[in-house]
Amino acid sequence: MLRVRRFTRFRIRPAVYRDTRPTRITAWTVGGEPVPFAEAVTKPYLPFALGERWGRPWDTTWFDVSGEVPADWAAGGQAELVVDLGFTGDQPGFQAEGLVYRPDGEIVKAIEPYNSWVPLPDHGPFRLLIEAAANPIVQVPYEYEPTAMGDKATAGDEPLYRLTDLSVAWRDQEVWELLQDVTTLDGLVDVLPEQGARRAEIVHALERMVDVMDPDDVAGTAARGREVLAPVLAGRAPDSSLIVSAVGHAHIDCAWLWPTRETVRKVARTFANVLDLSERHPEFVFAASSAQQYAWLKDSQPRLFERVRHAVADGVIRPVGGMWVESDTNMPGGEALARQFVLGKRFFAEEFGVDSEEVWLPDSFGYTAALPQIARAAGARYFLTQKPSWNETNPMPHSSFHWEGIDGSRVFTHFPPAETYNSDLGAADLARTERTFRQKGKARHVLGLYGWGDGGGGPTREMLAAAERKHDLDGSPRVRLADPGSFFRAAEAELSAPPVWVGEMYLELHRATLISQARSKRGNRHSEALLREAELWAATAAVRRGAPYPYDELRRIWETVLLLQFHDILPGTSIAWVHQDAERDYGRVADELTALITTALDALRADADDALVAANAGPYPRHGVPAMGLGPATPAATATPRPAGDRIVLDDGMLHVEIDRSGTLVSVVDLDADRELLPQGVAGGVLQLFRDTPREWDAWDINDEDKRSGRDLVEPVSIDIVDDAVVVRHERGKTVINVSIRLSEGKIDYTFDIDWHESQKLLKLAFPLDIRTDRSTSEIQFGHLHRPIHQNTSWDAARFETVAHRWIHVGEPGYGVAIANDVVYGHDIRGGQAPSGRPMTTARLSLLRAPRYPDPFADQGRHAFSVSLRPGGIPEAIADGYALHLPLRTVPGAAAEPLLMVTDRAVVVESVKLAEDRSGDLVVRLYEAHGKRSRATVRTRFGWHEAVATDLLERAVDGEAVRGTTPGSGVDLELRPFELLTLRFRDPVA
């Protein structure tokens, strides 16, 4: 095969283009942020020569290219502009890219590595403009070294690229087809059994191809070479072959190693490529998710968007996923994850008249057990991902299966067995597909996602050529160009009893995404809380006072927050520029939502005097203030710290707490239960610092072995009593950690103010507890999840950092401890033994990291955390979580009755808002939070004519949970464990 491959590389490939002609080139450099075509064409362009350097990092250069296609070029080929902006040969989307325009502003297609050509007229003059983006290469090669390129302020001014080629060339169609034939067969040589007859047949045919061709006249003898290869290309696949439904795809990260402003342009480039391909290949189908990306296209390139709209109508482009973005699913709250579908599906319906049935998340970092229920409530039936193929330890046991969530809802799920969403339909990907498909023998239908992704670009003509040749080819699975819906229906139909996976799909990799970029995570949690408040109070003001409801403002803010939940933004794995933008956006969101809350509460205040009341947006009464209402609050009683020898004591009649000179808890006695919470001889509330040097993927990963390097921070520089708090101060180089510890109503409250200046360190807060249990409980969206805390199996051992939202709980039968927080997501809960030999459970919260790639200054600076601990059960944990999430808001005004109340604490109101269709109907979302069957009545304090159960898109559905309604009074409910329910009250009046 060496002879064949050398002939292909040095003879066939160079012969694809012949008879090239030069072009005339002028250029204009923007020198800043991108500008639209209409502005760029008005600028002064200067002569530019091949070989000149261009492109400061993140800058844009516009090339004006003109030339002429000779009239005497023969038939049997295609005139093309060949462009090389200085490509390195690495993956498209991670380096320079271009978008090609005609002089009238019409987009032709994009320019990228492996797709670096533009169609030209058959003959005559032409002129084109190329918007060339000088995006720096941030992650090639994969060395994970700190880079200055992720921040425009530090990236420098040196040009990154050299213009290598801009020429008119004639592509010989026969030679190009020969190259595709050879590529297809050569790929099979590498994957077929070495001693097999089929491989030998292919090798022999390729050798004969070289024999019959003239190396000095490839164009003249290409047809002979194809004739020799035709018989082996005609060999049919056996009837048992897998059927690969090949779907064009380009997973485009909304931000990652580029900012969102560059993603806007990546989307335009990718769709331009797709539309160009569709004109040449009528059978081509392209699936694209993320309503946000379509919205960007509509705003930035309206003419291109209209072409996309027509392609959707024609079935060429298939909007999939139904979400605003391909979000992270571990950290967004339940309502936010629901809104991903509400906004995404509404956009697809309004713009295209389509409703996708698939949840499309090929690259998120693990999948919450709440997702099946949310998906079904949004009208989805299917789920797609390939990310679990990245598991470090345990391969997932199924490829096509039912995934069951915490409430029992199921979605039919498929993992494309090529284990990539960037397939080229090459032999290696298809062989892996056959090798790893878990349902072989029971099923034949699999999905193949082909096209350049991450940085965009999409499918190429070479990939379609591969699909054509592998439609029915001996040695390969059968490849069929298809759409996602057809695949899922076929795959579901052929498995009469699919296997079932129950619970979360934990990714055994990228666990540090729960910790990195803590300011972005605080912004997310805070934004979710403010959105709940803004909608609740605005809806209350609309029903009670007839105040206008801020539909447009809330939708715009939701769009921002949902974008920032994208799976490389909220997880903290993007360049510095992305997280700087996120922190700025979260600040703006907070200001705008605070203004909306103030306006709504002012409307509720009416003519009340200036007395202060508390607004309680939470689902439970607090300090005398009703849930979701306003009223005077009773101050919380806090214990007064007092010195006692070398310790400081806090006692409120429910807990007796002692803190020693190390700044840690040395005794926590539950006075009601007469029980010590801490194991004998073990301190609690201990800050622990660990080395954090992952093997790879710095911002993404933590490794379990680094826990061997931990040290306790038990030598504070000071411990003081300040009012009702014990304030402990730690200093380590430039890092300063201030911890304020209070005791209030049977609950220990920690407030952290940290000025963080570590590098590659991980900070945890540890609570060893005198509790014997084999599992912990963690809050997730619309419920909670039990996880083993032992390491009996490889699955248990691999789950060493887990997600929880506002609380975790560990307990024995009849007794437990609840730990709540205001922003922490990463947790580490394990069983063990105390020095006394007695069993104990240690719960640790992961507070901060300091990775150096891709943002070398990640998490440097100020951070704040609040954590609480109390004896109690899961109901207490839920209440404490909401209390930290939704603190009372003090405002001038009078007491105001809530719109509704629920008679059972197990049934939690998650959102109160007005309907998306702007009818004025009131929408209330609830869920069963205790994990049991619960009956409750929603008692309303406003008039209404009808109450109906709806899906997430507020369309009426059969609601078994609704047992009865009394107009204007209440709705009786019976909810299954963790059941999610949306109620719509029609025509609400005060």
Side-chain angles (χ1 to χ4, degrees):
M1 283 298 295
L2 287 176
R3 175 172 176 256
V4 173
R5 289 170 178 170
R6 181 171 182 178
F7 186 83
T8 303
R9 178 181 178 186
F10 293 105
R11 298 294 183 174
I12 299 177
R13 195 174 294 280
V16 168
Y17 285 112
R18 52 176 172 159
D19 201 3
T20 61
R21 303 294 171 90
T23 59
R24 295 177 295 278
I25 309 167
T26 60
W28 170 69
T29 297
V30 175
E33 287 298 283
V35 301
F37 174 87
E39 179 179 344
V41 293
T42 67
K43 299 300 181 180
Y45 284 67
L46 300 175
F48 200 94
L50 294 181
E52 282 192 50
R53 299 194 68 83
W54 69 278
R56 295 189 298 272
W58 303 112
D59 203 352
T60 301
T61 296
W62 285 78
F63 293 106
D64 189 328
V65 187
S66 57
E68 186 164 354
V69 179
D72 59 351
W73 274 359
Q78 169 69 52
E80 295 177 350
L81 180 69
V82 178
V83 184
D84 187 340
L85 297 173
F87 301 133
T88 66
D90 295 302
Q91 180 174 340
F94 291 80
Q95 53 180 297
E97 304 172 65
L99 187 61
V100 182
Y101 294 79
R102 295 191 179 97
D104 63 357
E106 187 73 20
I107 291 173
V108 182
K109 68 181 290 289
I111 291 296
E112 290 155 314
Y114 311 122
N115 195 354
S116 56
W117 58 276
V118 186
L120 293 175
D122 291 339
H123 63 272
F126 70 88
R127 178 177 171 233
L128 297 169
L129 290 99
I130 303 174
E131 180 192 27
N135 299 334
I137 299 171
V138 179
Q139 190 177 325
V140 180
Y142 291 82
E143 296 295 341
Y144 310 104
E145 289 300 313
T147 174
M149 289 295 177
D151 185 343
K152 192 163 60 171
T154 61
D157 294 324
E158 288 299 313
L160 297 176
Y161 297 102
R162 189 183 303 277
L163 185 64
T164 303
D165 196 2
L166 259 176
S167 60
V168 181
W170 188 78
R171 182 170 63 90
D172 188 315
Q173 186 67 26
E174 190 74 8
V175 176
W176 186 85
E177 296 286 358
L178 171 64
L179 180 61
Q180 309 317 306
D181 293 346
V182 173
T183 300
T184 296
L185 295 172
D186 191 359
L188 289 178
V189 170
D190 286 336
V191 299
L192 289 171
E194 189 170 349
Q195 305 303 322
R198 176 59 172 165
R199 182 181 185 276
E201 180 185 38
I202 292 172
V203 171
H204 176 71
L206 289 169
E207 291 284 359
R208 287 286 300 140
M209 177 268 299
V210 177
D211 291 343
V212 304
M213 289 186 64
D214 184 347
D216 297 322
D217 185 14
V218 171
T221 57
R224 290 187 213 160
R226 297 199 70 202
E227 288 174 6
V228 170
L229 299 181
V232 290
L233 285 166
R236 299 184 61 186
D239 291 342
S240 60
S241 295
L242 297 184
I243 300 171
V244 178
S245 293
V247 176
H249 187 240
H251 167 75
I252 305 175
D253 288 312
C254 286
W256 180 24
L257 305 181
W258 48 85
T260 54
R261 71 87 153 141
E262 192 56 33
T263 312
V264 175
R265 300 201 293 180
K266 287 176 178 289
V267 170
R269 295 176 198 127
T270 299
F271 276 112
N273 285 341
V274 166
L275 292 170
D276 177 79
L277 269 183
S278 69
E279 292 174 2
R280 304 164 199 282
H281 300 272
E283 72 282 12
F284 171 58
V285 176
F286 179 77
S289 71
S290 304
Q292 171 68 86
Q293 297 187 2
Y294 291 88
W296 278 333
L297 190 70
K298 182 181 179 182
D299 291 342
S300 66
Q301 298 283 2
R303 293 169 65 180
L304 186 61
F305 181 77
E306 286 306 310
R307 292 169 60 193
V308 167
R309 193 196 300 275
H310 288 299
V312 172
D314 292 341
V316 174
I317 293 177
R318 305 295 177 101
V320 293
M323 299 175 71
W324 190 248
V325 298
E326 291 184 11
S327 76
D328 178 77
T329 76
N330 284 318
M331 291 174 284
E335 187 61 25
L337 207 49
R339 297 300 178 91
Q340 287 283 353
F341 289 97
V342 172
L343 269 68
K345 281 181 167 273
R346 284 186 66 86
F347 184 92
F348 285 165
E350 291 166 359
E351 297 294 341
F352 306 124
V354 302
D355 183 10
S356 59
E357 291 189 309
E358 321 86 3
V359 181
W360 196 271
L361 293 172
D363 194 35
S364 299
F365 307 142
Y367 302 95
T368 173
L371 192 54
Q373 177 178 207
I374 296 170
R376 294 307 296 257
R381 297 175 55 195
Y382 306 117
F383 178 73
L384 175 137
T385 183
Q386 63 83 47
K387 201 64 174 185
S389 69
W390 288 40
N391 276 4
E392 284 183 312
T393 307
N394 300 286
M396 292 292 285
H398 317 302
S399 297
S400 293
F401 57 99
H402 277 144
W403 178 22
E404 182 176 303
I406 54 173
D407 78 318
S409 295
R410 291 182 177 182
V411 289
F412 184 80
T413 298
H414 182 71
F415 296 163
E419 300 181 346
T420 179
Y421 48 78
N422 288 327
S423 176
D424 62 358
L425 297 180
D429 285 348
L430 294 174
R432 188 184 313 109
T433 293
E434 189 166 59
R435 187 170 62 249
T436 65
F437 183 47
R438 305 289 183 184
Q439 269 68 52
K440 287 192 294 286
K442 300 177 182 178
R444 294 174 60 204
H445 285 86
V446 300
L447 193 65
L449 300 178
Y450 69 96
W452 295 112
D454 292 324
T460 66
R461 59 188 178 189
E462 288 78 12
M463 296 174 189
L464 285 170
E468 179 185 5
R469 284 157 175 79
K470 294 169 183 174
H471 180 78
D472 190 2
L473 180 62
D474 187 7
S476 171
R478 287 187 169 92
V479 175
R480 304 281 190 270
L481 297 184
D483 66 273
S486 297
F487 159 74
F488 272 111
R489 289 188 291 272
E492 186 177 35
E494 71 178 349
L495 280 173
S496 58
V500 180
W501 179 270
V502 178
E504 70 179 330
M505 288 196 285
Y506 178 88
L507 182 65
E508 295 174 359
L509 193 73
H510 295 356
R511 302 166 182 88
T513 56
L514 303 174
I515 314 165
S516 300
Q517 298 286 359
R519 276 184 289 270
S520 291
K521 290 171 170 57
R522 168 167 289 280
N524 176 72
R525 184 81 69 88
H526 193 207
S527 296
E528 290 179 349
L530 289 173
L531 277 161
R532 175 190 171 108
E533 285 194 80
E535 289 184 335
L536 169 66
W537 301 129
T540 304
V543 173
R544 290 270 186 258
R545 305 292 187 188
Y549 190 79
Y551 292 103
D552 292 331
E553 296 92 331
L554 286 170
R555 178 162 179 166
R556 177 176 47 78
I557 293 168
W558 266 116
E559 288 175 358
T560 298
V561 173
L562 297 181
L563 167 62
L564 296 176
Q565 290 177 344
F566 178 74
H567 65 255
D568 276 310
I569 302 178
L570 181 55
T573 53
S574 292
I575 57 173
W577 188 344
V578 172
H579 294 293
Q580 291 163 7
D581 284 353
E583 291 172 29
R584 181 202 65 223
D585 289 344
Y586 280 130
R588 175 177 53 79
V589 161
D591 291 342
E592 291 174 349
L593 288 172
T594 299
L596 292 179
I597 292 166
T598 300
T599 298
L601 291 174
D602 283 348
L604 287 171
R605 177 184 174 192
D607 298 324
D609 58 28
D610 291 331
L612 294 179
V613 295
N616 177 14
Y620 301 119
R622 292 184 61 207
H623 300 298
V625 185
M628 298 172 288
L630 290 87
T634 303
T638 57
T640 300
R642 57 182 176 82
D646 62 351
R647 299 184 177 186
I648 298 175
V649 174
L650 301 96
D651 191 317
D652 65 352
M654 289 177 275
L655 288 183
H656 177 88
V657 177
E658 297 183 9
I659 301 169
D660 73 1
R661 303 313 299 176
S662 70
T664 63
L665 307 175
V666 290
S667 178
V668 178
V669 177
D670 180 345
L671 299 175
D672 289 337
D674 189 23
R675 175 166 176 164
E676 171 66 61
L677 269 64
L678 302 181
Q680 182 180 354
V682 181
V686 183
L687 286 167
Q688 297 177 326
L689 197 66
F690 298 86
R691 184 174 66 190
D692 186 16
T693 53
R695 295 182 288 270
E696 54 181 354
W697 297 104
D698 285 26
W700 292 255
D701 284 0
I702 53 175
N703 298 141
D704 203 24
E705 59 264 26
D706 276 346
K707 291 179 183 175
R708 299 194 294 261
S709 67
R711 54 164 293 197
D712 294 347
L713 301 185
V714 291
E715 297 178 353
V717 296
S718 63
I719 300 177
D720 299 302
I721 296 175
V722 180
D723 299 326
D724 61 350
V726 178
V727 179
V728 182
R729 181 181 179 88
H730 296 274
E731 294 182 2
R732 174 187 158 87
K734 294 182 179 179
T735 295
V736 178
I737 303 173
N738 287 300
V739 188
S740 297
I741 307 170
R742 295 177 174 84
L743 178 60
S744 174
E745 299 177 341
K747 176 166 57 73
I748 306 173
D749 292 317
Y750 282 79
T751 303
F752 293 87
D753 179 2
I754 303 175
D755 190 7
W756 182 250
H757 295 283
E758 301 296 324
S759 177
Q760 296 185 301
K761 295 292 187 293
L762 171 62
L763 182 67
K764 287 177 174 278
L765 173 65
F767 290 105
L769 300 168
D770 187 12
I771 287 178
R772 167 71 177 93
T773 184
D774 61 0
R775 71 179 192 179
S776 65
T777 306
S778 299
E779 187 194 32
I780 62 172
Q781 300 90 344
F782 301 124
H784 55 262
L785 192 68
H786 302 300
R787 297 186 182 99
I789 63 171
H790 53 67
Q791 301 183 55
N792 283 358
T793 71
S794 59
W795 295 86
D796 301 328
R799 203 181 296 111
F800 59 79
E801 186 80 21
T802 56
V803 66
H805 283 199
R806 292 166 292 209
W807 58 267
I808 58 173
H809 182 268
V810 293
E812 303 169 348
Y815 195 84
V817 173
I819 302 172
N821 74 85
D822 71 335
V823 70
V824 177
Y825 291 100
H827 294 76
D828 162 20
I829 310 166
R830 287 297 188 198
Q833 282 194 329
S836 64
R838 291 172 55 86
M840 70 176 187
T841 300
T842 300
R844 293 194 287 203
L845 291 76
S846 300
L847 302 184
L848 283 169
R849 299 183 70 223
R852 303 182 67 201
Y853 178 87
D855 177 2
F857 302 106
D859 281 319
Q860 301 299 298
R862 296 293 290 274
H863 300 272
F865 301 91
S866 295
V867 176
S868 70
L869 179 145
R870 79 155 78 237
I874 286 175
E876 287 74 24
I878 295 170
D880 286 349
Y882 273 108
L884 283 175
H885 184 57
L886 297 163
L888 297 179
R889 182 181 293 272
T890 302
V891 295
E897 192 176 47
L899 290 176
L900 55 95
M901 61 86 65
V902 183
T903 59
D904 188 334
R905 290 172 62 86
V907 178
V908 175
V909 174
E910 185 65 11
S911 69
V912 178
K913 60 187 282 292
L914 294 195
E916 295 289 321
D917 63 7
R918 307 194 179 200
S919 62
D921 292 352
L922 187 76
V923 172
V924 179
R925 191 132 41 237
L926 316 95
Y927 69 100
E928 199 291 316
H930 290 181
K932 63 183 182 66
R933 286 189 179 268
S934 296
R935 291 188 176 186
T937 298
V938 178
R939 293 177 178 165
T940 56
R941 296 186 172 93
F942 60 94
W944 47 275
H945 295 110
E946 183 186 24
V948 297
T950 75
D951 63 9
L952 292 182
L953 276 75
E954 298 162 11
R955 303 171 296 199
V957 297
D958 292 333
E960 294 181 2
V962 178
R963 296 171 55 87
T965 64
T966 305
S969 177
V971 179
D972 296 325
L973 307 175
E974 182 176 350
L975 298 178
R976 299 187 308 274
F978 303 128
E979 184 173 0
L980 174 64
L981 176 66
T982 303
L983 294 175
R984 181 168 183 154
F985 295 90
R986 302 193 187 279
D987 305 319
V989 293

